[in-house]
Amino acid sequence: MSAPTRFLRALRPARPVRRHPGTNKPMHYTVPGGPTRYIPTSGLLTPPEELPGRPRAAESRPRLGRGPGRPAFLADPYFGPGLAAVAAILWVVGLHPVPPSAIGAIGLIANLSIPTLLAYPLLIASVVLELLRYQPRTWFMSGYTLLGVVFVYGLQPAVEEVARLPTAWLHSGFAEYIANHGEVLQGYDARFSWAGFFSLIAMVTKAAGIPNALSLINWAPVVLAGLMVLGTRALAVSALGNRRASWFAPWLFLVGDWTEQDYFSPQATAMVLMLAALTLTFRHLVRPRLTEPVRARMRVRLAPRSSPKARLVAQGSVVLIGLGLAPTHQLTPFVLAGMLLLLLLFGRLWPAWLPFVVFGAAVVWFSLGASDFWTGQLVQMLLSPLGDVSASVDQGLFSRLSGDIGHLVVLLVRIAASGFVALLAALGIILMRRDNLRSWLLPVLCAAPFGLALVQSYGGEVFMRCFLFALPIMALPASILLERALTEARKLRWRNRPSRTMAVAGIPWLVLTLLATMTLIARGGNDAYTSMSKQDVAAASWAIGQARPGQRVDSLVNAVPLAFARVGEVDQSEADIYCTDLVHVPAAVECLQEKGPDYLVVTEPQFAYLKILNAAAPDYEDQLLRGLQETQLYRVVFNDEGALVLGRASVALQNVQPAEGGTG
């Protein structure tokens, strides 16, 4: 019979106990009530009376709330959440409606109340206090981040009457056309060549049984920007690990995204998808990580640490995202393919074929699906600006530095915010290289999106798009810099150097508060002509509904919602496209008399646009209306508290009927 076993192994005999050599000595226990050493444990034990002639033992930690020690309220676990609750109350209490007529050249920031402005530094203080804890609480940090998204991106929807940005209304009209006709409108607008977003919205509105997407566009920035912040958090966890820096990264994106590209648009949706693809790549398809001090080579790439099943799912998901981006936006799939290619060249990306599949899908769609866009202008569009950096800089930067003093201040704040984030990223990279980071991949990824300026100016907005693409990547080294400052503050003894501890701990608070202030100024800087009133929407709706098929409904500039209904049936555009000089009233009247539309929508934000950006005269509105009426070619056919519709006498006045709420 075999020996007894335990877990298929033989039982070993009991070993003899080895005793310490020598005679046993009796133990002497202290007499109850005798002197003992006192170890402070949060007040559970009572310190003994000090004996005369014996020095008192040194305490290992300072007592909270006594002498020069740390104030007790800073150690309270609910002080930070209470501070965030006070910030939320102040933000809500300080909100008040802001009509477009009350907004000046400096933008929305001048019309915000003091309680609303105080809410932002208080909320950021709650974030810093939570990250100073030994173990930050995930649920509280998630709640603070959600409040930050509402504070920054929900400010304008909360104080303005209707959804802002006429382009968002235009996108709703495109989706409505696809929902009603089941196809795109050929030859109407270049955005129909990338109709993935509009087709998705058309499907959603049809399934929900609503006529259009106008009910979605007001709070769309909160949802889309919130998804971007969530994507940046996931990207930071995948690239840096679950540490304090992975919380600073989404906050840097939250308070640094002044571009206002999170409205109801294809580029916002494409940005969310790109962040999802990069997160999957960094988590399951990249080894070593961006922050690991290891040199990698493309020929000897290492298999990621995730399981084969996880790698397969991640590769399939990135491919599907690339296929979805190709018909959705012009630039985003190429940016994603470029970042994947850089990961491959630096030896970090495991599947070498992945960037070429994403790039190939974008090229195939551009060649076949977007042929209506590039037919007849491919050489001029791609080859002419290639390498012409001066033209891109002029169109994207210097040509935009125009307008009155208030608008110039807003533009300089935008440039300063972009430069400040780039400086934080550069300092973070220097700090990482001092910590033995050998690879140049991270700084190259931060600078790669700005290579778009070498290819295409993209209508003068190229640098704004480049900054948006680079912001989630730049937030990674910048977050490590803020984490290092917080770590140094946690190492300092509050009892010994309270002022220095507060100064070091206040660095992240100061950085985030400064960025939040600049973003509030930059995001609301155009609100004098991008926000609208209910009367403006009523005037545009009346003109669009009144026009016959084939007639034209125009505005002076793109500062009023048009083309949100009857797309393709009624021509809707802006007069500044065919009138080169709208600032001088005689030239504007002559142009409108010769080329003007059947219905001309005239609203207050349009005059603010011409006054702020083009230096029109203060009484420009009265001069223009008087000049048009003197020609007897136009007269006012709709008036709703200053929102006017001028009808052309030859066509429009035949069918004029006063609208409800207006006067004919």
Side-chain angles (χ1 to χ4, degrees), residues 220-573:
V222 178
V223 177
L224 293 173
L227 291 176
M228 293 182 195
V229 172
L230 179 62
T232 307
R233 160 69 177 169
L235 181 67
V237 172
S238 301
L240 306 177
N242 194 6
R243 48 194 282 192
R244 288 175 173 81
S246 62
W247 279 115
F248 275 123
W251 268 91
L252 284 168
F253 183 92
L254 194 157
V255 299
D257 180 20
W258 59 264
T259 59
E260 208 170 358
Q261 295 299 303
D262 42 54
Y263 64 98
F264 188 77
S265 61
Q267 58 263 31
T269 307
M271 184 68 183
V272 174
L273 293 176
M274 189 187 77
L275 287 175
L278 290 177
T279 299
L280 290 171
T281 302
F282 286 166
R283 184 172 183 82
H284 298 291
L285 304 177
V286 167
R287 184 182 177 189
R289 286 181 175 177
L290 301 182
T291 56
E292 293 184 22
V294 178
R295 288 188 180 273
R297 297 180 181 179
M298 185 173 62
R299 294 183 179 180
V300 288
R301 301 188 308 278
L302 301 176
R305 296 183 177 92
S306 56
S307 64
K309 180 180 178 181
R311 294 199 295 267
L312 183 61
V313 172
Q315 293 175 40
S317 301
V318 174
V319 169
L320 289 178
I321 291 174
L323 295 177
L325 286 176
T328 301
H329 195 237
Q330 301 95 320
L331 296 181
T332 309
F334 294 100
V335 175
L336 175 60
M339 290 189 176
L340 294 177
L341 183 61
L342 287 174
L343 291 174
L344 175 62
L345 294 177
F346 278 85
R348 305 295 180 105
L349 184 64
W350 171 249
W353 51 268
L354 190 58
F356 301 100
V357 171
V358 176
F359 182 78
V363 172
V364 169
W365 180 263
F366 183 85
S367 303
L368 302 178
S371 58
D372 186 54
F373 167 72
W374 57 261
T375 301
Q377 59 172 353
L378 182 62
V379 176
Q380 180 182 2
M381 181 183 60
L382 292 180
L383 299 184
S384 296
L386 184 62
D388 192 358
V389 182
S390 60
S392 298
V393 172
D394 181 68
Q395 295 182 29
L397 187 60
F398 294 115
S399 63
R400 304 176 72 88
L401 292 175
S402 60
D404 62 4
I405 299 299
H407 187 68
L408 287 176
V409 169
V410 173
L411 295 177
L412 293 177
V413 168
R414 292 173 181 172
I415 297 174
S418 305
F420 187 42
V421 174
L423 177 62
L424 293 175
L427 293 177
I429 291 172
I430 294 174
L431 184 63
M432 294 171 67
R433 292 194 66 83
R434 287 184 177 179
D435 293 341
N436 202 24
L437 178 66
R438 303 176 182 179
S439 175
W440 287 95
L441 174 60
L442 189 56
V444 171
L445 286 176
C446 293
F450 293 92
L452 292 174
L454 300 176
V455 180
Q456 183 59 251
S457 61
Y458 202 73
E461 298 180 354
V462 61
F463 287 107
M464 182 171 59
R465 302 296 175 89
C466 293
F467 176 74
L468 177 63
F469 288 135
L471 182 57
I473 308 298
M474 290 194 296
L476 301 180
S479 64
I480 292 179
L481 178 68
L482 298 185
E483 183 191 52
R484 180 61 61 87
L486 209 63
T487 303
E488 294 298 326
R490 296 180 70 247
K491 290 180 180 179
L492 294 174
R493 300 264 315 223
W494 180 280
R495 183 183 182 90
N496 296 338
R497 296 180 177 180
S499 58
R500 183 177 178 182
T501 305
M502 289 187 62
V504 176
I507 292 176
W509 176 84
L510 182 61
V511 168
L512 295 179
T513 302
L514 183 59
L515 266 179
T517 304
M518 290 191 288
T519 298
L520 289 178
I521 297 174
R523 286 182 67 89
N526 298 342
D527 280 20
Y529 49 85
T530 56
S531 62
M532 296 160 290
S533 63
K534 296 180 180 178
Q535 292 76 22
D536 301 338
V537 177
S541 301
W542 187 89
I544 295 172
Q546 189 69 30
R548 293 179 178 179
Q551 289 186 334
R552 289 169 51 200
V553 177
D554 290 355
S555 59
L556 294 175
V557 292
N558 186 23
V560 66
L562 288 178
F564 58 86
R566 302 184 70 182
V567 174
E569 183 180 357
V570 176
D571 294 336
Q572 304 171 57
S573 182

Side-chain angles (χ1 to χ4, degrees), residues 539 542-543 546 598-600 629 634-640 643-649 652-659 662-664:
W542 187 89
Q546 189 69 30
D598 300 295
Y599 294 94
L600 181 64
Q629 292 181 357
Y634 284 97
R635 74 177 182 91
V636 178
V637 295
F638 181 91
N639 186 356
D640 190 354
L644 308 177
V645 177
L646 304 181
R648 197 175 182 92
L653 297 184
Q654 299 176 6
N655 300 310
V656 169
Q657 296 177 359
T663 59

Side-chain angles (χ1 to χ4, degrees), residues 77-78 81 84 123 126-127 130-131 133 135-147 233 242 247 251:
Y78 296 104
L123 179 61
S126 302
V127 173
E130 186 65 33
L131 293 178
R133 294 177 57 87
Q135 186 174 1
R137 295 165 290 185
T138 303
W139 282 105
F140 283 100
M141 285 300 303
S142 301
Y144 300 156
T145 307
L146 180 61
L147 278 179
R233 160 69 177 169
N242 194 6
W247 279 115
W251 268 91

Side-chain angles (χ1 to χ4, degrees), residues 181-197:
H181 297 83
E183 60 181 2
V184 299
L185 183 58
Q186 299 292 337
Y188 181 80
D189 192 281
R191 281 163 284 199
F192 269 123
S193 297
W194 288 270
F197 171 77

